[in-house]
Amino acid sequence: MDLTMSTTTTSTSPAPDHDLGHHLPSSTSFVIPPASSPAAAMPPPSALPPTIPACDPHDGPASLQLIEDLTTHAGAIQRRVLREILAMNAGTDYVRGFLGADAEARGADELAAAFKERVPLVEYEDVKPYIERIANGAPSSLISSKTITELLTSSGTSGGQPKLMPSTEEELDRKTFLYNLLIPVMNKYVAGLDEGRCMYLLFVKPEITTPSGLVARPVLTSYYKSRHFRERPDSPYTRYTSPNEAILCPDSAQSMYAQLLCGLARRGEVLRVGAVFASAFLRAVKFLEGHWRALCDDIRAGRVDGSRVTDPACREAVARVVARPDPALADAIAAECAAASWRGIVRRLWPRTKYIDVIVTGSMAQYIPLLEFYGGGLPLVSTMYASSECFFGINLRPLDRPEDVAYTLLPNMCYYEFVKVKKDGEEVRDGKVVDLVDVEIGGHYELVVTTFTGLYRYRVGDILQVSGFHNAAPQFRFVHRRNVVLSVDTDKTSEDDLLRAVTAAKRLLAPLGAILSEYTAYADTASIPGHYVLFWELTPPPLPASGDGDAEAAAARVMAACCAEVEAGLDAVYRRCRSRDRSVGPLEIRVVNPGAFDALMDLCVSHGSSVNQYKTPRCIKHPDAIAVLEARVVGRFFSDAVPHWEPPFQVDAAGADGAGVTPPLA
């Protein structure tokens, strides 16, 4: 992922999650259209850009003009996108089920009006049966006239399993178009990016083969394995320090070692560093902290340690990068890594680096302090906003501060609608549905998309706030995921998920004669990897104060089992992050003394909460709230087991067994 930033915005709000982003400052002026209808004042265009426009990333002026054309005529392009999607898919089972068997015979305007009147807004559970039928072998025409070529696994979950999003070959062209726009935007704000390489630490994740033979995999794994990435034209802007074979190595530990080795060997060429998510970049820093001596040994000897990188293709490709011994480079790297502090280590190891390119919006915002510590003042850039459902938009001002990052949604990527949301006490209430150009500055909305791949009026689950407009296209700050209270990496745990897991675990307290009277949680990202922390207040306190070693050991065993039981009760994405990816650390329960949650309530009331309406928050983020409970901790316990995880689909030698999938609908 790569580029962008921002200078003039018109609102404040939190940060985003379902994205792939980056940043930069802007000298261009941004027109704020009238609040009534930004698109209404625009004259009808003589010719609109194609739905997937040609975009040469090396032609900066033409690419930037294309952004202007798309955003100026956002309303007209959105109307055309909806007409194209419906004309293409009116004959699918899903659309005909709402619009009738004669849908294909209707005029474009009539079809669009009927679509918005009759097709309901849906969530994943509503479309899941159609997608699972396709996973089991039903034709793509259930939802798409184009052949569905793969299913993209979302980090969000449904029923404990990742969501499966349909994708087509054409969609890769649309994603490539968006990536191509990032380069000219970034070049506006950072000079000389064509004078070296980028050290982007990119990884693939496991693929699953569905019973129909379709591959299900994360959206970025899909892109990295596609011809669009593997056979990309040589360009000074997409020259990575890592060879493709290192990025595509399926073993994450080998891939990490190989990519860091290449990045260090090409230290003098590196102009920008990054990963997709802030959490992944910080895991790389932690890995470097534990392996820099071995990496220096390889650079000094001009080799790749065969015991650390056993994948033949990866090892051979990396060997070509480190083919010559370089003792001087190894000594220089070792001197930096052996220093007393790792503050600014990124800038010290790669002194030509201009910025760190990672997503720092949404749940990734919690990693900003660590990134600033290791980055030594390097700008943090979030360039684009995307999800498994669709790629959405770009950050036109990539050097803005992380808290100011706003994404401009490109109107040709899908058809957008927005449900206005309002928080009333603890309940989020839905309001009216509006189109892309009709959102209001400062308003909060849930994103709804109709895609070219077979999703219709689908609620993505992202809550966005409008910060301004670029021409007629709104700019959004990502606020949060609906219902998500905990996240460290790609895991997304809701309050209901947490409640179910805690309810199952608290039964294990019986041998201690204690009950769980209150609990809350937060994601602790001070360590790498981060981990979930649960504060539990138990009645009566089960931890012996007498110094009885046997009783203490028994209590510790029970509490460790409670930690493991909570983890076992969380969803499949969390369990995969713990057991396979190792991107989330063992869950921790911190037992607090009696009265700790009364002190938390006192703090919340002092900050304006109503005593009458106060409910214990099941997730806390404010440092003062964490400090109140932390000061009352009397015991700390960690999970002593790795939770079980297995793919939702299994394919054996005889074929697909269909595990985890409901049978095709009649």
Side-chain angles (χ1 to χ4, degrees), residues 1-5 20-24 178-187 193 198 200 202 224 236-240 272-276 355-359 381-384 394-395 398:
M1 317 343 344
D2 206 306
L3 352 133
T4 9
M5 154 151 185
L20 302 116
H22 308 6
H23 0 303
L24 306 170
L178 192 63
Y179 281 130
N180 285 342
L181 281 183
L182 300 179
I183 292 169
V185 171
M186 204 70 211
N187 283 340
L193 293 178
C198 46
Y200 286 172
L202 309 176
Y224 299 150
Y237 299 110
T238 57
R239 286 183 191 144
Y240 300 106
R272 45 191 167 149
V273 301
V276 178
Y355 59 87
I356 299 175
D357 192 345
V358 290
I359 293 170
V381 170
S382 291
T383 57
M384 59 184 282
I394 58 178
N395 179 357

Side-chain angles (χ1 to χ4, degrees), residues 124 142 215 225 295 352 389 428 437 614 648 650:
Y124 184 71
L142 282 176
V215 172
K225 289 194 170 186
L295 291 162
R352 296 182 63 197
E389 291 88 343
V428 175
V437 297
Y614 176 80
Q650 302 286 345

Side-chain angles (χ1 to χ4, degrees), residues 289-594:
E289 198 170 359
H291 296 83
W292 64 265
R293 292 177 180 82
L295 291 162
C296 286
D297 288 344
D298 280 357
I299 291 171
R300 185 174 287 107
R303 66 168 192 215
V304 183
D305 186 339
S307 67
R308 296 179 183 274
V309 182
T310 59
D311 180 273
C314 179
R315 187 176 63 248
E316 291 168 14
V318 174
R320 291 192 289 270
V321 177
V322 293
R324 297 171 57 184
D326 197 337
L329 175 60
D331 290 344
I333 294 169
E336 297 294 351
C337 293
S341 172
W342 270 44
R343 179 182 294 276
I345 191 67
V346 175
R347 174 165 263 169
R348 284 156 40 200
L349 286 177
W350 295 281
R352 296 182 63 197
T353 298
K354 299 173 184 287
Y355 59 87
I356 299 175
D357 192 345
V358 290
I359 293 170
V360 289
T361 50
S363 63
M364 293 296 119
Q366 61 194 326
Y367 294 105
I368 291 172
L370 273 177
L371 288 169
E372 291 175 337
F373 175 83
Y374 289 119
L378 287 170
L380 306 178
V381 170
S382 291
T383 57
M384 59 184 282
Y385 171 41
S387 75
S388 303
E389 291 88 343
C390 183
F391 280 22
F392 303 125
I394 58 178
N395 179 357
L396 293 178
R397 300 191 299 265
L399 293 182
D400 273 7
R401 298 176 305 168
E403 58 268 30
D404 294 330
V405 169
Y407 300 101
T408 302
L409 301 194
L410 297 181
N412 61 315
M413 300 304 291
C414 65
Y415 182 69
Y416 303 98
E417 295 176 275
F418 299 87
V419 180
K420 189 157 190 179
V421 296
K422 180 180 180 182
K423 194 167 185 179
D424 180 12
E426 293 302 314
E427 298 296 323
V428 175
R429 303 188 184 279
D430 290 349
K432 64 180 180 179
V433 180
V434 299
D435 290 334
L436 176 70
V437 297
D438 295 326
V439 297
E440 299 173 347
I441 293 175
H444 288 75
Y445 298 87
E446 181 179 358
L447 176 62
V448 176
V449 297
T450 297
T451 71
F452 288 90
T453 59
L455 297 175
Y456 305 94
R457 308 196 83 189
Y458 179 86
R459 301 180 75 142
V460 174
D462 289 353
I463 305 300
L464 311 175
Q465 183 185 32
V466 185
S467 61
F469 282 82
H470 181 73
N471 298 321
Q475 298 176 308
F476 292 90
R477 292 202 179 99
F478 190 101
V479 180
H480 58 77
R481 287 284 292 163
R482 181 188 282 272
N483 300 327
V484 170
V485 296
L486 290 173
S487 179
V488 168
D489 189 52
T490 56
D491 53 298
K492 309 256 188 304
T493 298
S494 70
E495 187 171 322
D496 288 343
D497 294 335
L498 184 61
L499 174 61
R500 283 192 295 269
V502 169
T503 299
K506 69 182 183 180
R507 292 193 290 264
L508 302 181
L509 293 170
L512 300 182
I515 61 171
L516 177 63
S517 55
E518 276 291 8
Y519 75 92
T520 191
Y522 83 102
D524 183 353
T525 55
S527 60
I528 303 173
H531 68 291
Y532 289 8
V533 173
L534 276 62
F535 291 103
W536 279 20
E537 185 173 323
L538 304 177
T539 304
L543 305 178
S546 60
D548 184 334
D550 291 341
E552 289 179 358
R557 286 194 296 271
V558 169
M559 295 308 302
C562 287
C563 294
E565 187 69 16
V566 172
E567 290 197 301
L570 296 176
D571 67 32
V573 175
Y574 175 89
R575 288 182 281 114
R576 188 203 70 211
C577 287
R578 273 280 287 123
S579 64
R580 188 201 177 278
D581 300 348
R582 303 299 171 97
S583 59
V584 177
L587 181 141
E588 178 184 5
I589 291 176
R590 298 177 186 172
V591 176
V592 295
N593 61 23

Side-chain angles (χ1 to χ4, degrees), residues 135-137 209-214 649-651 655-659 661:
N136 274 317
T209 303
T210 70
S212 67
L214 283 176
F649 300 100
Q650 302 286 345
V651 178
D657 65 13
V661 184

